[in-house]
Short mmCIF file of all heavy atoms in Angstrom, two decimals:
data_model
loop_
_atom_site.label_atom_id
_atom_site.label_comp_id
_atom_site.label_asym_id
_atom_site.label_seq_id
_atom_site.Cartn_x
_atom_site.Cartn_y
_atom_site.Cartn_z
N ALA X 124 57.17 136.62 164.24
CA ALA X 124 57.80 136.10 165.46
C ALA X 124 58.10 137.20 166.46
O ALA X 124 58.24 136.94 167.65
CB ALA X 124 59.10 135.36 165.10
N THR X 125 58.18 138.45 165.97
CA THR X 125 58.47 139.56 166.88
C THR X 125 57.27 140.48 167.04
O THR X 125 57.41 141.63 167.43
CB THR X 125 59.68 140.35 166.35
OG1 THR X 125 59.40 140.80 165.01
CG2 THR X 125 60.94 139.51 166.35
N GLY X 126 56.09 139.96 166.73
CA GLY X 126 54.88 140.75 166.92
C GLY X 126 54.63 141.74 165.79
O GLY X 126 53.87 142.70 165.97
N GLY X 127 55.22 141.53 164.61
CA GLY X 127 55.05 142.45 163.50
C GLY X 127 53.89 142.08 162.61
O GLY X 127 52.86 141.58 163.05
N VAL X 128 54.08 142.30 161.30
CA VAL X 128 52.99 142.13 160.34
C VAL X 128 52.71 140.66 160.06
O VAL X 128 53.64 139.89 159.83
CB VAL X 128 53.35 142.85 159.02
CG1 VAL X 128 52.24 142.66 157.99
CG2 VAL X 128 53.59 144.33 159.28
N ASN X 129 51.44 140.29 160.06
CA ASN X 129 51.01 138.97 159.62
C ASN X 129 50.63 139.11 158.15
O ASN X 129 49.51 139.48 157.82
CB ASN X 129 49.84 138.47 160.46
CG ASN X 129 49.50 137.02 160.17
OD1 ASN X 129 49.58 136.57 159.02
ND2 ASN X 129 49.12 136.29 161.19
N TRP X 130 51.58 138.84 157.27
CA TRP X 130 51.38 139.11 155.84
C TRP X 130 50.27 138.24 155.25
O TRP X 130 49.53 138.69 154.38
CB TRP X 130 52.69 138.88 155.10
CG TRP X 130 53.74 139.88 155.45
CD1 TRP X 130 54.88 139.65 156.17
CD2 TRP X 130 53.75 141.27 155.15
NE1 TRP X 130 55.61 140.81 156.33
CE2 TRP X 130 54.94 141.83 155.71
CE3 TRP X 130 52.88 142.11 154.46
CZ2 TRP X 130 55.25 143.18 155.59
CZ3 TRP X 130 53.20 143.46 154.34
CH2 TRP X 130 54.37 143.98 154.89
N ARG X 131 50.18 137.01 155.72
CA ARG X 131 49.14 136.13 155.17
C ARG X 131 47.75 136.68 155.49
O ARG X 131 46.86 136.71 154.64
CB ARG X 131 49.32 134.72 155.73
CG ARG X 131 48.43 133.69 155.06
CD ARG X 131 48.71 132.31 155.64
NE ARG X 131 50.04 131.85 155.29
CZ ARG X 131 50.31 131.18 154.18
NH1 ARG X 131 49.38 130.91 153.31
NH2 ARG X 131 51.54 130.76 153.96
N GLN X 132 47.56 137.13 156.72
CA GLN X 132 46.27 137.68 157.10
C GLN X 132 45.99 138.99 156.36
O GLN X 132 44.85 139.27 155.99
CB GLN X 132 46.22 137.89 158.61
CG GLN X 132 46.15 136.60 159.41
CD GLN X 132 44.90 135.80 159.10
OE1 GLN X 132 43.81 136.34 158.97
NE2 GLN X 132 45.07 134.49 158.97
N ARG X 133 47.03 139.80 156.15
CA ARG X 133 46.82 141.05 155.42
C ARG X 133 46.46 140.78 153.97
O ARG X 133 45.58 141.45 153.41
CB ARG X 133 48.07 141.92 155.51
CG ARG X 133 47.90 143.27 154.83
CD ARG X 133 49.03 144.23 155.16
NE ARG X 133 49.01 144.59 156.58
CZ ARG X 133 49.86 145.46 157.12
NH1 ARG X 133 50.76 146.06 156.37
NH2 ARG X 133 49.80 145.74 158.40
N ALA X 134 47.12 139.81 153.36
CA ALA X 134 46.78 139.45 151.98
C ALA X 134 45.36 138.89 151.91
O ALA X 134 44.62 139.18 150.96
CB ALA X 134 47.79 138.44 151.44
N TYR X 135 45.01 138.10 152.90
CA TYR X 135 43.65 137.54 152.94
C TYR X 135 42.62 138.66 153.07
O TYR X 135 41.57 138.64 152.42
CB TYR X 135 43.53 136.57 154.11
CG TYR X 135 42.15 136.00 154.30
CD1 TYR X 135 41.55 135.23 153.31
CD2 TYR X 135 41.43 136.23 155.47
CE1 TYR X 135 40.28 134.71 153.48
CE2 TYR X 135 40.15 135.72 155.65
CZ TYR X 135 39.59 134.95 154.64
OH TYR X 135 38.34 134.45 154.82
N ALA X 136 42.91 139.67 153.88
CA ALA X 136 42.00 140.79 154.05
C ALA X 136 41.86 141.57 152.74
O ALA X 136 40.76 142.01 152.36
CB ALA X 136 42.49 141.71 155.16
N ALA X 137 42.98 141.74 152.02
CA ALA X 137 42.92 142.44 150.73
C ALA X 137 42.04 141.68 149.74
O ALA X 137 41.25 142.27 149.01
CB ALA X 137 44.33 142.61 150.17
N GLN X 138 42.18 140.36 149.77
CA GLN X 138 41.36 139.53 148.88
C GLN X 138 39.89 139.61 149.27
O GLN X 138 39.01 139.80 148.43
CB GLN X 138 41.85 138.08 148.99
CG GLN X 138 41.20 137.12 148.01
CD GLN X 138 41.92 137.11 146.68
OE1 GLN X 138 43.10 137.39 146.63
NE2 GLN X 138 41.21 136.81 145.62
N ARG X 139 39.64 139.51 150.56
CA ARG X 139 38.26 139.47 151.05
C ARG X 139 37.52 140.79 150.84
O ARG X 139 36.32 140.81 150.59
CB ARG X 139 38.29 139.11 152.54
CG ARG X 139 36.93 139.05 153.22
CD ARG X 139 37.02 138.19 154.47
NE ARG X 139 38.16 138.57 155.29
CZ ARG X 139 38.10 139.46 156.28
NH1 ARG X 139 36.98 140.08 156.54
NH2 ARG X 139 39.18 139.74 156.99
N HIS X 140 38.25 141.91 150.94
CA HIS X 140 37.60 143.21 150.83
C HIS X 140 37.69 143.81 149.43
O HIS X 140 37.44 145.00 149.24
CB HIS X 140 38.22 144.18 151.84
CG HIS X 140 37.95 143.80 153.26
ND1 HIS X 140 36.70 143.81 153.82
CD2 HIS X 140 38.79 143.37 154.23
CE1 HIS X 140 36.77 143.44 155.08
NE2 HIS X 140 38.02 143.15 155.35
N GLY X 141 38.03 142.98 148.46
CA GLY X 141 37.98 143.42 147.07
C GLY X 141 39.05 144.41 146.68
O GLY X 141 38.83 145.23 145.77
N LYS X 142 40.21 144.36 147.30
CA LYS X 142 41.30 145.28 146.97
C LYS X 142 42.17 144.76 145.83
O LYS X 142 43.06 145.47 145.35
CB LYS X 142 42.16 145.54 148.20
CG LYS X 142 41.39 146.03 149.42
CD LYS X 142 40.68 147.34 149.14
CE LYS X 142 39.96 147.83 150.41
NZ LYS X 142 39.23 149.09 150.14
N VAL X 143 41.93 143.50 145.44
CA VAL X 143 42.73 142.88 144.38
C VAL X 143 42.07 143.17 143.03
O VAL X 143 40.84 143.15 142.92
CB VAL X 143 42.83 141.36 144.61
CG1 VAL X 143 43.68 140.70 143.53
CG2 VAL X 143 43.42 141.09 145.99
N PRO X 144 42.85 143.48 141.98
CA PRO X 144 42.26 143.75 140.66
C PRO X 144 41.36 142.60 140.19
O PRO X 144 41.59 141.44 140.53
CB PRO X 144 43.49 143.90 139.76
CG PRO X 144 44.59 144.33 140.68
CD PRO X 144 44.32 143.64 141.98
N ALA X 145 40.38 142.95 139.41
CA ALA X 145 39.42 141.96 138.90
C ALA X 145 40.15 140.88 138.11
O ALA X 145 41.06 141.17 137.32
CB ALA X 145 38.39 142.65 138.02
N GLY X 146 39.72 139.63 138.35
CA GLY X 146 40.32 138.52 137.64
C GLY X 146 41.67 138.09 138.19
O GLY X 146 42.35 137.26 137.59
N LYS X 147 42.07 138.65 139.32
CA LYS X 147 43.35 138.32 139.93
C LYS X 147 43.13 137.77 141.34
O LYS X 147 42.07 137.94 141.94
CB LYS X 147 44.24 139.56 140.02
CG LYS X 147 44.60 140.17 138.67
CD LYS X 147 45.60 139.30 137.92
CE LYS X 147 46.07 140.00 136.65
NZ LYS X 147 47.10 139.21 135.93
N ARG X 148 44.14 137.14 141.86
CA ARG X 148 44.12 136.65 143.23
C ARG X 148 45.52 136.73 143.82
O ARG X 148 46.51 136.74 143.09
CB ARG X 148 43.63 135.20 143.30
CG ARG X 148 44.48 134.19 142.53
CD ARG X 148 43.88 132.81 142.61
NE ARG X 148 44.56 131.86 141.74
CZ ARG X 148 45.61 131.13 142.08
NH1 ARG X 148 46.13 131.28 143.29
NH2 ARG X 148 46.15 130.28 141.25
N LEU X 149 45.59 136.80 145.12
CA LEU X 149 46.87 136.83 145.81
C LEU X 149 47.23 135.42 146.27
O LEU X 149 46.36 134.66 146.73
CB LEU X 149 46.83 137.76 147.03
CG LEU X 149 46.79 139.26 146.74
CD1 LEU X 149 46.64 140.03 148.03
CD2 LEU X 149 48.06 139.70 146.02
N SER X 150 48.48 135.10 146.17
CA SER X 150 48.98 133.83 146.67
C SER X 150 50.15 134.12 147.61
O SER X 150 51.05 134.90 147.26
CB SER X 150 49.45 132.94 145.52
OG SER X 150 50.05 131.75 146.01
N VAL X 151 50.13 133.53 148.79
CA VAL X 151 51.18 133.75 149.78
C VAL X 151 51.85 132.42 150.07
O VAL X 151 51.19 131.43 150.40
CB VAL X 151 50.61 134.35 151.08
CG1 VAL X 151 51.72 134.58 152.09
CG2 VAL X 151 49.88 135.64 150.78
N SER X 152 53.16 132.41 149.97
CA SER X 152 53.92 131.19 150.27
C SER X 152 55.12 131.56 151.13
O SER X 152 55.65 132.67 151.05
CB SER X 152 54.38 130.49 148.99
OG SER X 152 55.19 131.36 148.22
N TRP X 153 55.54 130.61 151.96
CA TRP X 153 56.66 130.84 152.87
C TRP X 153 57.94 130.31 152.26
O TRP X 153 58.01 129.20 151.75
CB TRP X 153 56.40 130.15 154.20
CG TRP X 153 57.60 130.06 155.09
CD1 TRP X 153 58.34 128.96 155.38
CD2 TRP X 153 58.21 131.13 155.80
NE1 TRP X 153 59.36 129.28 156.22
CE2 TRP X 153 59.32 130.61 156.51
CE3 TRP X 153 57.94 132.50 155.92
CZ2 TRP X 153 60.13 131.38 157.30
CZ3 TRP X 153 58.76 133.27 156.72
CH2 TRP X 153 59.83 132.71 157.40
N THR X 154 58.99 131.13 152.27
CA THR X 154 60.31 130.71 151.84
C THR X 154 61.29 131.02 152.96
O THR X 154 60.95 131.71 153.92
CB THR X 154 60.75 131.44 150.56
OG1 THR X 154 60.98 132.83 150.88
CG2 THR X 154 59.69 131.36 149.48
N ARG X 155 62.50 130.53 152.85
CA ARG X 155 63.51 130.79 153.88
C ARG X 155 63.85 132.28 153.97
O ARG X 155 64.28 132.78 155.02
CB ARG X 155 64.79 130.00 153.60
CG ARG X 155 64.62 128.51 153.82
CD ARG X 155 65.95 127.80 153.72
NE ARG X 155 65.82 126.38 154.02
CZ ARG X 155 65.87 125.87 155.23
NH1 ARG X 155 66.06 126.67 156.26
NH2 ARG X 155 65.74 124.57 155.43
N ALA X 156 63.64 132.99 152.86
CA ALA X 156 63.94 134.43 152.85
C ALA X 156 62.81 135.26 153.43
O ALA X 156 62.99 136.42 153.74
CB ALA X 156 64.25 134.88 151.43
N GLY X 157 61.62 134.67 153.57
CA GLY X 157 60.46 135.40 154.09
C GLY X 157 59.20 134.99 153.37
O GLY X 157 59.12 133.89 152.81
N PHE X 158 58.20 135.86 153.36
CA PHE X 158 56.94 135.59 152.68
C PHE X 158 57.00 136.11 151.24
O PHE X 158 57.43 137.25 151.00
CB PHE X 158 55.78 136.27 153.41
CG PHE X 158 55.25 135.46 154.55
CD1 PHE X 158 55.50 135.85 155.85
CD2 PHE X 158 54.51 134.32 154.33
CE1 PHE X 158 55.03 135.11 156.91
CE2 PHE X 158 54.03 133.57 155.38
CZ PHE X 158 54.29 133.97 156.67
N GLU X 159 56.57 135.26 150.32
CA GLU X 159 56.49 135.64 148.92
C GLU X 159 55.03 135.84 148.56
O GLU X 159 54.24 134.89 148.60
CB GLU X 159 57.13 134.58 148.03
CG GLU X 159 57.23 134.99 146.57
CD GLU X 159 57.94 133.94 145.74
OE1 GLU X 159 57.25 133.01 145.27
OE2 GLU X 159 59.17 134.05 145.56
N ILE X 160 54.64 137.06 148.24
CA ILE X 160 53.26 137.39 147.89
C ILE X 160 53.21 137.62 146.39
O ILE X 160 53.91 138.49 145.87
CB ILE X 160 52.78 138.64 148.65
CG1 ILE X 160 53.00 138.45 150.16
CG2 ILE X 160 51.32 138.92 148.36
CD1 ILE X 160 52.65 139.67 150.99
N SER X 161 52.35 136.84 145.71
CA SER X 161 52.26 136.90 144.25
C SER X 161 50.85 137.27 143.82
O SER X 161 49.87 136.90 144.47
CB SER X 161 52.65 135.56 143.62
OG SER X 161 53.95 135.16 144.05
N LEU X 162 50.77 138.01 142.74
CA LEU X 162 49.49 138.35 142.12
C LEU X 162 49.31 137.46 140.90
O LEU X 162 50.06 137.57 139.93
CB LEU X 162 49.46 139.82 141.73
CG LEU X 162 48.11 140.37 141.26
CD1 LEU X 162 47.10 140.34 142.39
CD2 LEU X 162 48.27 141.80 140.74
#
């Protein structure tokens, strides 16, 4: 909202460019406290 990090897009980029360990995936969900990124 203040022009900072788009965590969902960054996680998507990590997934797309093979930065995630083999056999794993990133999941991004929105909570009231912020973005929850899970492996």
Side-chain angles (χ1 to χ4, degrees):
T125 57
V128 179
N129 188 323
W130 293 110
R131 189 178 293 272
Q132 289 299 318
R133 183 168 294 183
Y135 176 61
Q138 186 86 27
R139 179 158 49 92
H140 294 294
K142 306 300 182 181
V143 181
K147 298 287 186 177
R148 61 183 172 88
L149 288 176
S150 175
V151 181
S152 59
W153 167 253
T154 69
R155 290 188 176 273
F158 276 107
E159 187 177 86
I160 306 176
S161 304
L162 188 65

